[in-house]
Amino acid sequence: MAASILLRYQELALKGKNRPWFQRHLIRHLHRALAGLGVREIRVPMGRLEVVLGSDASMAEVRERLKHVFGLANYSVTTRVAPDMEALVSGILRDLPREAPSSFRVRVRRADKQFPLRTPDIEREMGRRIVEARGWPVNLSDPALTIGVEIVPGEAYYYFGKEPGAGGLPTGTGGRVVALLSGGIDSPVAAWRMMRRGCKATLVHFHSAPFLSRASQDKARELARVLARYQLSAKLHLVPIGEIQRQITLSVPGALRVILYRRLMLRIAERIALRSSAHALVTGDVLGQVASQTIENMAVTGAAIGMPIFRPLIGMDKDEIIAEAERLGTYSISIVPDEDCCTLFTPRHPVTRARHGEIEDAERGLPMEEFVDTALRSSSLERFTWPAVGVVGAV
Ligand code: ATP
Ligand code: MG
């Protein structure tokens, strides 16, 4: 018999007219995410998805891949049988875990209202048969093992427990964004949060090689590799800005430089976004975390471009962000020491309340548009795919 996985999506978000569209994205994504693991078909039983696997599929690998699929609330490794009491009970009795749980209950979802027995009667009858066969204690309020049964028109499923999914919305349903990815802790979490809401993120990293080391680029690559797992592929633009930073230092007072670097980054990222049909940028800014992240400074940097900038971490505390980065697997990469480009040619204490006027004055004598063109011309593009990882070279 083929093994199946019963997938549950976030019901509320997928209600209504958009449901088939969300489902199509999710199904296409699942086919790609589970490639090579012997998926026979993906079926759509009422309100669920069912991945039918060949008998040789590695469940450990399937689980690992499913962990990264957005749009899944949770899932169960399941067996499909005819929608019939005897088929269900004999299957369950045969497949019950060998080891006795301290308690159990049966929970039934009866989506086929034609099924002859009512939900509580099915649960009671199945529970009775299991107690008879195994003598396990029943606990309805807090069972150690929940035996699940779902009955839909034409078929039924049983399973032993549920595993959590990645949540969020299917990749691609949220449109495209360009995420500014430093080597730090915050920006990968910010990118991931937008990805979880269904966005496909193109990543951009700015660096100051050869003025500073290449360490931040290697971190950005490692981070891109982790993030790519969630959207199956990720483009990473590596943009050198060291020479432009040097030219900025010639006329701009030290305290204002970080703001100018940021405005430059946003302009470059906006151009990349326009070229890749993205409609917003994403940064890892957190209010008040560092000098450059005051409301005044964010307003002044954001004013450099017309595109919306999303800052999904804006109201989070550092320890919350770190916990999320640890769960995601980016924390250990982010804490490797590097040389951040924003520190190049800047004093320890940048301005905390930049004013539009002084920043515009500082930029007036500088060929900002030319800087953007030069940076884009000298940038390179790498592409990360999951499960396989590849590089396509320079643009
Ligand atoms: P992070 O932990 O993400 O580096 P941070 O707390 O160090 O953030 P800043 O250095 O002020 O804060 O950066 C704010 C945001 O600006 C980052 O989250 C990122 O989105 C963007 N950013 C900063 N430096 C770079 C860079 N070198 N390349 C790409 N984006 C950057
Ligand atoms: Mg940083």
Side-chain angles (χ1 to χ4, degrees):
M1 190 184 341
S4 272
I5 303 186
L6 197 59
L7 308 170
R8 301 175 194 85
Y9 38 76
Q10 312 274 23
E11 297 253 12
L12 278 180
L14 301 199
K15 273 219 172 113
K17 282 202 307 275
N18 281 335
R19 182 133 135 189
W21 182 74
F22 277 104
Q23 262 181 1
R24 271 201 306 281
H25 274 86
L26 189 50
I27 291 171
R28 198 179 325 135
H29 190 92
L30 281 165
H31 274 297
R32 292 177 58 206
L34 298 172
L37 298 184
V39 172
R40 292 224 185 118
E41 60 172 327
I42 297 182
R43 309 174 69 240
V44 191
M46 200 176 180
R48 300 281 184 255
L49 295 179
E50 180 195 353
V51 176
V52 183
L53 296 163
S55 47
D56 53 345
S58 151
M59 275 301 166
E61 183 61 19
V62 170
R63 284 195 171 89
E64 179 58 24
R65 304 263 186 104
L66 283 179
K67 250 182 14 204
H68 299 90
V69 176
F70 288 131
L72 299 181
N74 56 58
Y75 64 90
S76 304
V77 177
T78 190
T79 305
R80 170 161 36 97
V81 293
D84 160 287
M85 260 323 253
E86 269 325 296
L88 277 163
V89 171
S90 61
I92 291 172
L93 289 178
R94 186 192 60 223
D95 294 342
L96 279 176
R98 224 168 276 159
E99 210 146 299
S102 55
S103 61
F104 84 101
R105 76 159 293 174
V106 177
R107 193 177 276 287
V108 171
R109 170 180 173 263
R110 175 174 165 264
D112 177 12
K113 299 305 173 204
Q114 306 300 315
F115 194 79
L117 292 174
R118 288 174 341 121
T119 305
D121 300 331
I122 309 171
E123 290 180 346
R124 208 170 304 122
E125 171 61 8
M126 288 181 171
R128 192 186 64 74
R129 299 275 299 268
I130 293 165
V131 172
E132 200 176 86
R134 295 294 189 95
W136 293 351
V138 172
N139 181 340
L140 297 182
S141 55
D142 187 25
L145 170 70
T146 298
I147 299 169
V149 170
E150 302 202 12
I151 301 168
V152 296
E155 51 212 4
Y157 299 85
Y158 63 86
Y159 46 85
F160 306 100
K162 289 180 183 174
E163 297 172 59
L169 296 172
T171 301
T173 58
R176 195 175 281 277
V177 292
V178 167
L180 283 77
L181 187 72
S182 69
I185 296 167
D186 306 329
S187 47
V189 177
W192 179 82
R193 286 211 154 198
M194 294 304 294
M195 286 160 58
R196 196 176 60 168
R197 294 310 298 165
C199 291
K200 181 115 193 203
T202 296
L203 310 171
V204 184
H205 175 71
F206 300 96
H207 64 86
S208 309
F211 297 91
L212 297 176
S213 79
R214 304 179 58 86
S216 76
Q217 293 176 69
D218 291 334
K219 288 170 69 178
R221 289 188 182 98
E222 284 303 307
L223 294 168
R225 207 163 273 150
V226 173
L227 293 172
R229 292 181 159 218
Y230 292 90
Q231 50 181 28
L232 303 179
S233 68
K235 283 183 190 156
L236 171 66
H237 293 262
L238 295 158
V239 188
I241 56 168
E243 174 52 29
I244 300 170
Q245 289 176 287
R246 196 188 61 78
Q247 291 185 37
I248 288 175
T249 61
L250 301 178
S251 64
V252 177
L256 299 185
R257 285 174 199 161
V258 170
I259 304 280
L260 261 76
Y261 297 169
R262 280 294 148 74
R263 284 167 60 98
L264 176 72
M265 286 183 191
L266 291 178
R267 288 187 177 104
I268 296 169
E270 184 184 43
R271 283 273 284 277
I272 292 174
L274 291 170
R275 290 199 314 214
S276 48
S277 357
H279 300 292
L281 305 186
V282 181
T283 72
D285 290 307
V286 179
L287 184 59
Q289 193 185 78
V290 292
S292 59
Q293 296 174 5
T294 60
I295 288 182
E296 289 86 345
N297 283 359
M298 282 188 268
V300 171
T301 47
I305 61 167
M307 202 171 266
I309 302 168
F310 295 135
R311 300 177 173 89
L313 311 186
I314 196 72
M316 288 178 78
D317 286 349
K318 194 74 191 181
D319 52 353
E320 294 172 322
I321 300 171
I322 288 176
E324 199 151 289
E326 280 175 333
R327 274 197 300 278
L328 188 58
T330 53
Y331 184 70
S332 57
I333 303 167
S334 295
I335 58 173
V336 172
D338 66 356
E339 293 180 298
D340 187 278
C341 67
C342 293
T343 60
L344 182 63
F345 312 127
T346 54
R348 248 184 203 297
H349 299 292
V351 64
T352 52
R353 300 194 195 295
R355 284 176 293 108
H356 276 282
E358 62 180 344
I359 296 298
E360 272 162 15
D361 286 346
E363 279 183 359
R364 210 175 316 278
L366 292 167
M368 295 306 289
E369 279 309 301
E370 213 178 291
F371 285 164
V372 173
D373 290 335
T374 310
L376 283 169
R377 264 200 309 276
S378 46
S379 72
S380 59
L381 173 64
E382 297 182 9
R383 188 181 158 92
F384 299 85
T385 56
W386 195 61
V389 176
V391 172
V392 288
V395 241

